[in-house]
């Protein structure tokens, strides 16, 4: 990715994080990125394209962070714990996206089918993990998005409560939370 394009995407993310979607204009993005407004159109067709590409960039970042140090040869519980903790520690990363989860999820996207296909590719490690667990008879026979929602997604909401609302989570409580999420997806 070119330096200018990266600057523009970062500027867009900064504006969205501080002013929200309604505070976003191409002129504001240009000012924040310290480029001419016309420069934006060299990399993006329009505002929708800019938002779509920002959305994809953030998804790519999250997918890569999620699968860090996940080893398919490890037992499923260890893989799960690693993914869960990767999500838990994600907002603490220096290069983490600035947008809150709600801001990110409310980004308008105009290419839902393409995005769903891209998500399937980006999160193939998670799909493989859930499919393997179901094949082994370890996980409940639920659709992967449901297993994600009750198994891994709580880490995202809880880390927000921990960082923003002061929810006290020490190492022992964190392990209990991970075990509770694991228990939600496994067969008894």
């Amino acid at each position: 990715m070119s330096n200018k394009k990266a600057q523009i995407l970062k500027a867009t993310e900064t504006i969205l994080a501080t002013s929200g979607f309604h505070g976003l204009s191409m002129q504001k993005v240009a000012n924040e990125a310290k480029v001419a407004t016309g420069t934006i159109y060299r990399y993006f067709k329009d505002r929708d394209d800019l938002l779509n590409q920002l959305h994809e960039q953030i998804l790519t970042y999250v997918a890569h962070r999620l699968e860090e140090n996940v080893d398919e040869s490890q037992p499923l519980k260890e893989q799960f714990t690693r993914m869960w903790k990767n999500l838990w520690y994600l907002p603490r990363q220096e290069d983490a996206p600035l947008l809150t989860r709600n801001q990110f999820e409310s980004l308008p996207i105009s290419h839902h089918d393409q995005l769903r296909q891209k998500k399937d590719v980006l999160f193939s490690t998670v799909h493989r993990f859930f499919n393997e667990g179901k094949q082994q008879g370890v996980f409940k026979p639920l659709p992967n998005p449901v297993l994600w929602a009750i198994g891994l997604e709580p880490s995202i909401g809880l880390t927000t409560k921990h960082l923003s609302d002061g929810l006290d989570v020490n190492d022992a409580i964190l392990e209990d939370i991970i075990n509770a999420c694991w228990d939600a997806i496994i067969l008894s």
Side-chain angles (χ1 to χ4, degrees), residues 16-33:
L16 288 171
T18 57
S19 303
F21 177 72
H22 297 295
L24 183 72
S25 71
M26 295 305 236
Q27 185 59 53
K28 282 185 180 180
V29 171
N31 291 342
E32 181 72 26

Side-chain angles (χ1 to χ4, degrees), residues 155-172:
S155 64
I156 300 165
L158 288 169
T159 195
T160 301
K161 289 199 172 298
H162 175 67
L163 294 173
S164 301
D165 300 339
L167 175 67
D168 186 27
V169 178
N170 61 33
D171 290 343

Side-chain angles (χ1 to χ4, degrees), residues 6-77:
Q7 278 177 250
I8 294 165
L9 287 167
K10 190 64 173 171
T12 304
E13 184 182 358
T14 299
I15 292 167
L16 288 171
T18 57
S19 303
F21 177 72
H22 297 295
L24 183 72
S25 71
M26 295 305 236
Q27 185 59 53
K28 282 185 180 180
V29 171
N31 291 342
E32 181 72 26
K34 296 177 179 44
V35 299
T37 306
T39 303
I40 296 172
Y41 293 102
R42 293 163 102 192
Y43 301 99
F44 307 97
K45 288 187 305 191
D46 53 26
R47 189 168 92 153
D48 286 346
D49 184 38
L50 174 60
L51 292 172
N52 288 338
Q53 288 191 46
L54 176 62
H55 196 265
E56 287 180 22
Q57 177 182 294
I58 293 171
L59 281 176
T60 300
Y61 174 88
V62 171
H64 289 303
R65 287 290 185 173
L66 172 68
E67 63 186 30
E68 274 185 342
N69 302 314
V70 175
D71 182 352
E72 292 180 28
S73 67
Q74 293 177 323
L76 290 171
K77 176 74 185 281

Side-chain angles (χ1 to χ4, degrees), residues 66 87 123 126 130 143-154 156:
L66 172 68
L87 289 171
F123 293 93
V126 177
F130 285 135
N144 291 350
V146 174
L147 292 173
W148 167 271
I150 62 177
L152 292 170
E153 194 168 328
I156 300 165

